[in-house]
Amino acid sequence: MSPRKANMESSIYLGNDGWWHGRVTMGIKDDGSPDRRHRRAKTEPEVRRKVRELEQLRNKGRAPKAGRKPTVAQWMETYLTDIASLKLRPRSLDDYWSKTRNDIIPGVGKHRLDKLAPEHLERMYRAMLDAGHAPSHVVKVHRILSRALKIAHRRRIISENVATLVDPPSVDETEANPFTKEEARAFLEAAAKRPTFMRWIIGVGMGFRQGETLGLRWSYVDFEAELFHPEWQLQRLTWHHGCKDPHACGARLHRFEPCPPDCTVHKGYKRGCPKPCTKRCTKHASACPDRKGGGLTFTRPKTKKSRNAVPIPPAFIPHLLEHKAQQDAMRAAAGELWQEHHVVFSRPDGRPLDPRADWEEFKELLAEAGIGDRRLYDGSRHTAGTILNELGVDMPTIMEILRHTQISQTRRYVKGRSHLSKDAMRRMGDAFIPRPELSTETRTETTDSRAARARLRRRIR
């Protein structure tokens, strides 16, 4: 009888090298040849266990594909270039690339995907926290890496997503710190001295996001119906090389040594001296002659709900018309230097306002108004939502004004006030224990007054 094994049956044997070997038939490779996987161990029970695990993966259709597995760095580049770029928005994709280059690749980039272990990720997260990164930053890195490994697992490049076995650091939700009515009034009084006054009126009074405000164009302002249509937003995107060799393109800008402590070259840099370049640096895309996809760009808002029309308060209309007249005068004064972008808020030459300069102006206005430091979101969307709530507007209406998809998201934008809480609890107390009614009649009687009334009654009788 032939000793030949049946199809798809595994073989286990003791090799001349003293190791036990197992051969498992997984199927057919892309080139038509049989896909035979090899496992080995020091003992027969151990190699049988490994063979059974591989057979179970084969039977469930979850066996990883044949061939040498890519490293984490190689897979992240493939994932971001060919997969994530088809779904993510440009700004989000830039953020994914940034965290991949600065955190994931230096941390675990040299590990092969099939050799990556939970301990490797935990050590990377610990090192990031020790380096001063916020827990929220580490959580974002974890989510990016977990998503990339999920796609690798779905495509059977790896048998398990190890990121699901790791708990990222806990993150405390940032508490909103909106303006009070007095602070909002002081802020707008300071902004009234600047030509960008209407920009801050819309940001604080209507809760528009920064990109939506700066990207607002006159064709989407309906004066008759008194509506804003935030169809576009303005964002600053990262430039990308359009040349064939990004490393050679930025050769004149490469700097491989760190700056000295008394560096004067980057003295005006607000974030300090930039980090040295890597050996195969592909940055400096802004200097590439064929650069693409960067700079100030009009993009669509993130969700369809964000593009819903928002009513303009009638009190804003005269100021908005006055702003339009001032911009027309500015266009006439600029003449040929004017660059038409049809934006509502522009620079003296017609170009859109830079988001960085807009953020700096917000900080300057805070100082002029005597208000403590705030995030730009606190001074716009959180302030608008909170003040609308104080004015008695119900939560579903606030959700429509802020264009949120879920009311739970709106509740995070609305912060309660202590004086409103005190007033609410006062009314609560009155509901259970009514306060005594005040009366102008004097109930305490003296002896003389009682005696006088008694004499009056005797006379009447």
Side-chain angles (χ1 to χ4, degrees):
M1 189 174 181
S2 173
R4 181 182 179 89
K5 292 182 176 294
N7 288 338
M8 307 300 288
E9 186 176 351
S10 305
S11 59
I12 297 175
Y13 59 92
L14 178 64
N16 295 330
D17 55 0
W19 287 76
W20 282 89
H21 298 266
R23 302 281 178 177
V24 183
T25 302
M26 306 298 293
I28 303 297
K29 294 182 180 178
D30 293 338
D31 59 0
S33 60
D35 180 7
R36 294 273 289 176
R37 308 285 176 89
H38 172 249
R39 293 292 185 269
R40 71 170 189 169
K42 280 292 187 181
T43 63
E44 183 179 3
E46 179 66 16
V47 77
R48 287 189 179 278
R49 182 187 64 79
K50 292 183 177 181
V51 167
R52 282 196 302 271
E53 290 177 354
L54 196 55
E55 288 175 340
Q56 290 174 358
L57 291 174
R58 177 196 64 191
N59 296 337
K60 293 178 180 179
R62 294 173 51 196
K65 290 185 177 181
R68 185 175 180 85
K69 302 300 181 285
T71 63
V72 175
Q74 292 170 340
W75 174 245
M76 289 303 300
E77 183 173 356
T78 301
Y79 167 69
L80 294 177
T81 304
D82 301 331
I83 303 172
S85 60
L86 302 178
K87 185 176 181 180
L88 294 178
R89 303 187 67 79
R91 189 73 174 271
S92 299
L93 186 62
D94 286 346
D95 186 50
Y96 273 44
W97 271 111
S98 174
K99 288 178 173 55
T100 298
R101 285 192 301 263
N102 298 327
D103 300 305
I104 296 176
I105 292 179
V108 294
K110 294 183 180 180
H111 289 285
R112 274 174 40 187
L113 281 184
D114 57 336
K115 300 295 183 182
L116 189 64
E119 296 77 16
H120 299 145
L121 303 187
E122 291 167 346
R123 282 196 288 269
M124 179 179 72
Y125 298 159
R126 181 72 265 167
M128 292 172 63
L129 293 173
D130 293 341
H133 288 293
S136 58
H137 179 90
V138 179
V139 170
K140 289 180 181 179
V141 171
H142 172 78
R143 289 173 179 169
I144 294 170
L145 183 57
S146 179
R147 179 62 182 173
L149 294 177
K150 181 180 179 180
I151 299 298
H153 178 231
R154 186 183 296 169
R155 300 188 177 192
R156 295 188 299 163
I157 298 175
I158 54 177
S159 59
E160 187 177 24
N161 179 2
V162 297
T164 59
L165 307 178
V166 179
D167 291 328
S170 300
V171 179
D172 295 331
E173 186 175 350
T174 303
E175 186 177 357
N177 190 17
F179 293 156
T180 62
K181 290 182 182 179
E182 294 74 18
E183 288 175 335
R185 193 174 293 110
F187 180 87
L188 293 178
E189 287 176 357
K193 305 172 186 177
R194 299 177 180 243
T196 55
F197 173 58
M198 278 307 300
R199 178 264 176 272
W200 299 111
I201 279 284
I202 292 176
V204 177
M206 300 184 64
F208 270 43
R209 301 175 180 90
Q210 183 193 40
E212 294 170 346
T213 308
L214 302 185
L216 192 62
R217 287 184 272 193
W218 288 114
S219 55
Y220 298 105
V221 180
D222 189 344
F223 284 104
E224 293 184 3
E226 298 183 349
L227 292 174
F228 276 141
H229 297 273
E231 295 285 342
W232 296 90
Q233 61 180 349
L234 185 71
Q235 290 185 328
R236 176 176 289 281
L237 304 180
T238 303
W239 288 105
H240 296 282
H241 281 279
C243 55
K244 296 182 179 180
D245 190 352
H247 178 71
C249 179
R252 63 184 180 84
L253 299 174
H254 291 327
R255 184 180 52 84
F256 302 104
E257 298 296 329
C259 293
D262 55 345
C263 174
T264 57
V265 177
H266 308 108
K267 187 176 181 180
Y269 281 44
K270 295 183 178 180
R271 298 184 179 180
C273 297
K275 295 180 180 179
C277 300
T278 58
K279 292 182 179 180
R280 293 299 303 171
C281 174
T282 57
K283 296 182 180 180
H284 317 296
S286 59
C288 176
D290 300 319
R291 66 183 186 178
K292 59 182 182 180
L296 293 179
T297 307
F298 288 99
T299 63
R300 288 290 189 182
K302 188 174 182 179
T303 63
K304 185 178 180 180
K305 188 73 177 272
S306 298
R307 295 162 57 182
N308 286 359
V310 182
I312 306 174
F316 290 5
I317 298 294
H319 296 281
L320 198 59
L321 292 172
E322 182 182 355
H323 173 78
K324 193 174 189 302
Q326 292 175 354
Q327 191 182 71
D328 292 339
M330 193 164 52
R331 181 188 293 105
E336 296 180 354
L337 299 178
W338 184 265
Q339 301 179 32
E340 188 60 74
H341 291 274
H342 304 285
V343 289
V344 176
F345 307 107
S346 65
R347 305 183 215 185
D349 60 357
R351 291 181 298 162
L353 294 176
D354 191 332
R356 295 174 182 172
D358 182 74
W359 181 86
E360 292 176 356
E361 184 178 31
F362 174 74
K363 296 297 181 179
E364 293 173 0
L365 290 172
L366 289 179
E368 292 178 14
I371 303 173
D373 191 29
R374 295 284 202 287
R375 298 177 305 167
L376 184 54
Y377 243 50
D378 288 335
S380 54
R381 288 181 73 73
H382 286 291
T383 295
T386 301
I387 293 181
L388 283 170
N389 184 55
E390 291 180 9
L391 295 175
V393 181
D394 58 88
M395 202 62 67
T397 304
I398 298 176
M399 182 183 74
E400 290 300 317
I401 293 174
L402 298 182
R403 291 158 289 127
H404 289 150
T405 55
Q406 296 179 348
I407 200 165
S408 59
Q409 186 180 10
T410 306
R411 290 193 179 98
R412 287 167 38 208
Y413 276 68
V414 176
K415 183 177 180 180
R417 299 293 192 191
S418 59
H419 69 276
L420 294 180
S421 301
K422 289 181 179 179
D423 180 66
M425 295 312 293
R426 177 188 60 76
R427 288 185 278 119
M428 186 71 167
D430 292 345
F432 287 101
I433 308 176
R435 288 186 291 182
E437 296 182 1
L438 297 178
S439 175
T440 57
E441 181 182 354
T442 303
R443 296 183 179 274
T444 304
E445 297 181 347
T446 61
T447 305
D448 295 339
S449 63
R450 288 200 299 269
R453 279 199 291 272
R455 286 194 296 268
L456 179 61
R457 285 196 296 270
R458 284 196 294 271
R459 280 195 222 105
I460 295 172
R461 289 173 185 168

